């Protein structure tokens, strides 16, 4: 006797199979985005919901960060990896090399369309610029953080993470260099800087301007950096286990050469002089800079001012002193470019070219 199936069962089975196929098709259509977590306030916790300062950074793990934003599953296939769990003021060259190599390895995979890096905001602009100079791919790499800990009222981390994943999965973000995305804004890693110790609108690109906005899970771009980055970089960290020591001396009235001399004595291969104004050299410090150069230390004139071009042969005769001008890079970013430049050359003309290229 042939047993007949109950038509209702058949219909239910058909609906189930169709729904599973549709879900599978939907997932297949979504971009694959890796979230690499390094710590910071976005992973921070405070004693109460109104604690927005005096909290502990780097306590929440990447899986929890992702779980806290279930909407992510609608815009991307997200996987998380805890690369570090630190407050970003403690980021080191060794962390950067490990992170850069991991990013390059993941982006070389066909099943990775973009990367989001959750990071403390204190040094996020530096990590972003370092990656802008060493990532060997056009795929999007987006750094994201938060100015309020995950436990705070109106914590900005979850929406910032959602926006960063949306950008990382967007074809519009391909080939635009490493970017930072916070507060619904998109900034180039080269030109963005943290401008406020605690407010959610802290990240700005003074004068040169942000790249665009993220709204409703979609990025809107209005400008791109004119400088070389990522796939066009000449720098390669694959075989590097360390970066040359480069330190920054800060300019101010009544400045003296004690810090500069100490850095040089400790073996600094390069010095960033974060001068007042257009990188002016104090009479008491100039001889020490000249002596350092004579010992082979590369001197880059930058400015503490934070905006504008640091003009070569402006406040000092760089041709005669054999110094390098930092162009528009702030001191902390000039340090990154000089470190990478020194992995390739000590020639100051070549290094100056790099400061006009990246
Ligand atoms: N300790 C700071 C850091 O990890 C907290 C600031 C933040 O992440 O917003 O950068």
């Amino acid at each position: 006797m042939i047993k007949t199936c109950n038509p209702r069962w058949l219909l239910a089975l058909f609906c189930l199979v169709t729904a599973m196929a549709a879900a599978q098709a939907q997932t297949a259509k979504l971009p694959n985005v890796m979230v690499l977590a390094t710590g910071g306030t976005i992973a921070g916790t405070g004693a109460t919901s109104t604690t927005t300062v005096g909290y502990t950074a780097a306590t929440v793990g990447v899986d929890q960060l992702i779980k806290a934003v279930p909407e992510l599953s609608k815009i991307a296939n997200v996987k998380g990896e805890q690369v570090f769990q630190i407050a970003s003021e403690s980021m080191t060259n060794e962390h950067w090399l490990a992170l850069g190599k991991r990013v390059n390895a993941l982006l070389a995979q066909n099943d990775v369309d973009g990367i989001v890096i959750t990071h403390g905001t204190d040094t996020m602009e530096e990590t972003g610029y370092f990656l802008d100079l060493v990532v060997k791919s056009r795929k999007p790499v987006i750094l994201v953080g938060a100015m309020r800990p995950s436990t705070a009222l109106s914590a900005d981390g979850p929406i910032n993470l959602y926006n960063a994943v949306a950008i990382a999965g967007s074809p519009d973000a391909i080939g635009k260099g490493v970017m930072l995305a916070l507060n619904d804004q998109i900034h180039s890693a080269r030109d963005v800087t943290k401008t406020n110790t605690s407010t959610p609108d802290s990240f700005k690109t003074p004068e040169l301007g942000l790249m665009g906005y993220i709204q409703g899970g979609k990025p809107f771009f209005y400008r791109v950096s004119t400088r070389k980055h990522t796939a066009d970089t000449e720098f390669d960290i694959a075989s590097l286990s360390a970066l040359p020591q480069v330190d920054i001396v800060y300019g101010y009235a009544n400045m003296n050469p004690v810090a500069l001399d100490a850095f040089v004595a400790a073996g600094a291969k390069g010095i960033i002089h974060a001068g007042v104004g257009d990188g002016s050299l104090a009479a008491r410090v100039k001889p020490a800079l000249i002596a350092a150069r004579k010992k082979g230390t590369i001197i880059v004139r930058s400015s503490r001012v934070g905006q504008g071009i640091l003009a070569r042969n402006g406040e000092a005769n760089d041709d005669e002193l054999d110094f390098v001008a930092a162009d528009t890079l702030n001191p902390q970013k000039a340090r990154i470019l000089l470190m990478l430049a020194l992995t390739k050359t000590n020639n100051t003309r070549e290094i100056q070219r790099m400061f006009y290229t990246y």
Side-chain angles (χ1 to χ4, degrees):
M1 198 229 347
I2 299 167
K3 279 190 86 163
T4 52
C5 288
N6 175 329
R8 259 189 253 149
W9 279 113
L10 274 178
L11 182 62
L13 187 63
F14 174 75
C15 293
L16 180 66
V17 168
T18 315
M20 283 170 68
Q24 215 152 26
Q26 176 58 13
T27 306
K29 255 186 3 223
L30 292 178
N32 298 324
V33 174
M34 278 300 294
V35 175
L36 303 183
T38 72
T41 295
I42 192 168
T45 47
T48 72
S49 62
T50 53
T51 306
T52 54
V53 288
Y55 51 81
T56 309
T59 56
V60 177
V62 63
D63 293 337
Q64 217 177 321
L65 291 177
I66 293 169
K67 225 178 273 159
V69 190
E71 296 81 356
L72 288 175
S73 62
K74 295 195 180 61
I75 60 170
N77 300 316
V78 174
K79 274 195 196 140
E81 193 173 299
Q82 193 78 43
V83 279
F84 320 123
Q85 184 68 297
I86 60 169
S88 77
E89 62 270 27
S90 302
M91 202 55 83
T92 64
N93 290 350
E94 289 67 38
H95 286 116
W96 281 350
L97 286 170
L99 181 61
K101 289 171 183 175
R102 185 64 185 138
V103 166
N104 277 327
L106 285 167
L107 291 179
Q109 295 174 199
N110 292 333
D111 61 349
V112 174
D113 298 310
I115 290 181
V116 166
I117 298 169
T118 61
H119 193 289
T121 59
D122 287 358
T123 60
M124 187 190 292
E125 66 193 75
E126 296 175 61
T127 302
Y129 186 48
F130 173 75
L131 293 172
D132 201 43
L133 295 170
V134 303
V135 164
K136 298 280 193 183
S137 169
R138 291 171 46 79
K139 293 178 181 176
V141 175
I142 311 297
L143 278 84
V144 65
M147 295 303 291
R148 294 178 181 146
S150 64
T151 45
L153 272 179
S154 307
D156 50 336
I159 186 65
N160 284 351
L161 178 58
Y162 177 83
N163 286 342
V165 170
I167 301 166
S170 167
D172 296 345
I174 293 172
K176 290 190 164 69
V178 174
M179 295 178 265
L180 274 64
L182 294 94
N183 195 40
D184 300 345
Q185 296 182 346
I186 307 171
H187 295 266
S188 84
R190 181 192 188 277
D191 302 319
V192 72
T193 191
K194 185 173 180 177
T195 64
N196 187 291
T197 55
S198 57
T199 55
D201 66 345
S202 177
F203 282 82
K204 299 225 177 355
T205 302
E207 294 190 342
L208 297 178
L210 50 72
M211 293 176 75
Y213 301 100
I214 170 89
Q215 241 178 32
K218 184 172 169 22
F220 297 88
F221 289 101
Y222 299 88
R223 60 173 53 84
V224 290
S225 171
T226 58
R227 291 300 172 94
K228 273 191 176 179
H229 53 69
T230 59
D232 297 328
T233 185
E234 63 194 276
F235 304 114
D236 190 338
I237 59 170
S239 59
L240 294 181
S241 56
L243 290 169
Q245 185 62 28
V246 173
D247 290 297
I248 302 173
V249 289
Y250 195 79
Y252 49 89
N254 197 43
M255 184 181 179
N256 61 58
V258 170
L260 168 64
D261 292 344
F263 283 138
V264 174
K269 298 286 181 272
I271 291 288
I272 307 296
H273 176 269
V276 296
D278 192 13
S280 315
L281 306 178
R284 280 195 299 196
V285 175
K286 189 173 176 181
L289 287 165
I290 293 170
R293 182 69 199 104
K294 284 206 167 72
K295 285 185 194 151
T297 309
I298 301 295
I299 307 293
V300 174
R301 285 193 313 114
S302 176
S303 170
R304 72 178 198 181
V305 163
Q307 295 168 49
I309 293 175
L310 191 297
R312 184 173 175 82
N313 297 326
E315 282 296 331
N317 188 334
D318 296 307
D319 289 350
E320 190 185 283
L321 298 167
D322 197 22
F323 290 177
V324 175
D327 190 46
T328 58
L329 287 179
N330 66 25
Q332 55 269 32
K333 291 186 185 174
R335 171 182 166 269
I336 295 163
L337 182 50
L338 181 55
M339 281 196 299
L340 289 169
L342 289 171
T343 66
K344 293 182 74 76
T345 179
N346 279 309
N347 179 300
T348 48
R349 265 192 313 284
E350 259 301 275
I351 295 173
Q352 185 66 76
R353 173 192 61 79
M354 293 171 179
F355 272 82
Y356 288 148
T357 304
Y358 296 96

